[in-house]
Amino acid sequence: MTVDVYTPLALSALLAAISPAVGRRVAPALAARVLTAAAAVTAAATVWSLVLLAATLLNDAPPVLAEAREAGYAVPDPVPEAIGIAACPALALIAHRLWRAVRAEYATRRRLRRLCEGQPGDTELIVAASPVPRAFAIPGSPGRILVTAAMLGALEPVERRVLLAHERAHLAHRHALLVTAATLAFAANPLLGPVRDQVAFLVERWADERAAAAVGDRTTTARALARAALTAGRAEPSCALGFTDRAVTRRIAALQSAPPPHLRSVAVAVLALGALPALGAADATGDLLGLLVHIVP
């Protein structure tokens, strides 16, 4: 337990460090999935490791250890007491961060549902008579696409197809779930902030690629994205997955080059990296339980 219990923290920092490279070199759809899965497992393992560290402070443990040592057993402390004490406020902070993240997600979904009030149940596209150029996907059942009249008026007909194909990709592939999972992983483990940001960017790149495939022209897709971004200007970012959000310049540059390869070997390596924290936490759990089993009379 002396080393394994700290493995999730070390590997979460490594996952955060390599996530930008994975996002650049692997196809967005695959990269977004594997980074989200790795982040979720790593965050869960981190929380469990902190629980194990805090568990070493249980009131029954010191007498048991003392009795074992008096009987002649060489029983080391599982971890230094100071580390076990520090794990308690860390867990409280994580609980607070998760509560805030869940509350923010609930508030966002509630605001989005209000935008759809009064619309027929089978309506996919909602056009709002607003002078603010915006377009975004509203997840749910059914999913909706909200576009303002100002945004539609700024785009040519083929560019409108790009916009709608982009937002439909968000809904069809449930990108909101990936972003939410990465956000909760970041709340549980602040070291995973770069992974959360990369997943949010990758789902936009994923939708861009799907839109380019739908219209059959990457140049037109890049032009539509550039025109929409210039039209949106300094408008406040929406609380949903929007066409002009998340590093538009990088997305346009990506569309002007060939699609990135899938590189499944890299994806497997990332998933393996995500599994290692769970294995470390499981091994630390076994160490702690084995210690208690062997010293309890």
Side-chain angles (χ1 to χ4, degrees), residues 118-143:
Q119 299 293 330
D122 58 349
T123 300
E124 179 197 40
L125 178 63
I126 302 173
V127 179
S130 170
V132 180
R134 298 299 293 164
F136 50 88
I138 302 176
S141 181

Side-chain angles (χ1 to χ4, degrees), residues 62 104 151 170 175 193 204 213 235 243 287:
M151 178 62 81
H170 280 320
H175 290 167
E204 296 298 337
F243 186 51
D287 290 345

Side-chain angles (χ1 to χ4, degrees), residues 3-282:
V3 175
D4 294 335
V5 75
Y6 306 114
T7 301
L9 289 173
L11 292 179
S12 60
L14 179 58
L15 179 62
I18 69 170
S19 60
V22 174
R24 289 191 301 269
R25 290 172 172 80
V26 181
L30 183 60
R33 290 185 177 114
V34 299
L35 285 175
T36 301
V41 174
T42 301
T46 301
V47 173
W48 182 243
S49 292
L50 290 173
V51 170
L52 292 177
L53 291 172
T56 62
L57 298 176
L58 291 174
N59 292 333
D60 291 338
V64 170
L65 294 176
E67 291 174 8
R69 287 172 180 142
E70 289 175 0
Y73 293 99
V75 182
D77 290 328
V79 295
E81 185 178 2
I83 294 179
I85 294 173
C88 296
L91 285 171
L93 177 60
I94 288 174
H96 177 68
R97 286 170 56 87
L98 285 170
W99 176 75
R100 289 185 59 185
V102 171
R103 187 179 64 172
E105 178 69 16
Y106 174 77
T108 295
R109 295 298 179 95
R110 184 173 57 184
R111 288 196 298 269
L112 292 175
R113 285 196 298 269
R114 287 176 179 173
L115 294 175
C116 302
E117 289 179 353
Q119 299 293 330
D122 58 349
T123 300
E124 179 197 40
L125 178 63
I126 302 173
V127 179
S130 170
V132 180
R134 298 299 293 164
F136 50 88
I138 302 176
S141 181
R144 309 290 181 89
I145 299 171
L146 190 146
V147 184
T148 63
M151 178 62 81
L152 289 177
L155 301 178
E156 298 177 357
V158 67
E159 294 169 345
R160 295 174 188 169
R161 288 180 54 206
V162 171
L163 182 149
L164 294 178
H166 176 101
E167 302 303 345
R168 287 190 180 110
H170 280 320
L171 297 175
H173 298 286
R174 300 183 180 276
H175 290 167
L177 291 178
L178 294 178
V179 174
T180 298
T183 299
L184 293 178
F186 166 63
N189 184 343
L191 293 176
L192 296 174
V195 183
R196 185 271 314 267
D197 295 341
Q198 195 65 30
V199 170
F201 171 72
L202 285 170
V203 297
E204 296 298 337
R205 281 279 300 115
W206 183 352
D208 290 340
E209 293 293 337
R210 297 302 301 168
V215 300
D217 190 340
R218 297 176 67 81
T219 301
T220 298
T221 303
R223 186 176 67 246
L225 180 57
R227 191 190 303 273
L230 290 173
T231 302
R234 296 181 178 273
E236 291 294 324
S238 69
C239 51
L241 296 172
F243 186 51
T244 57
D245 296 338
R246 299 288 175 186
V248 172
T249 303
R250 289 169 55 198
R251 289 165 55 195
I252 292 173
L255 285 167
Q256 292 174 335
S257 59
H262 281 81
L263 292 180
R264 288 182 173 82
S265 60
V266 176
V268 171
V270 173
L271 289 176
L273 178 61
L276 287 177
L279 294 176

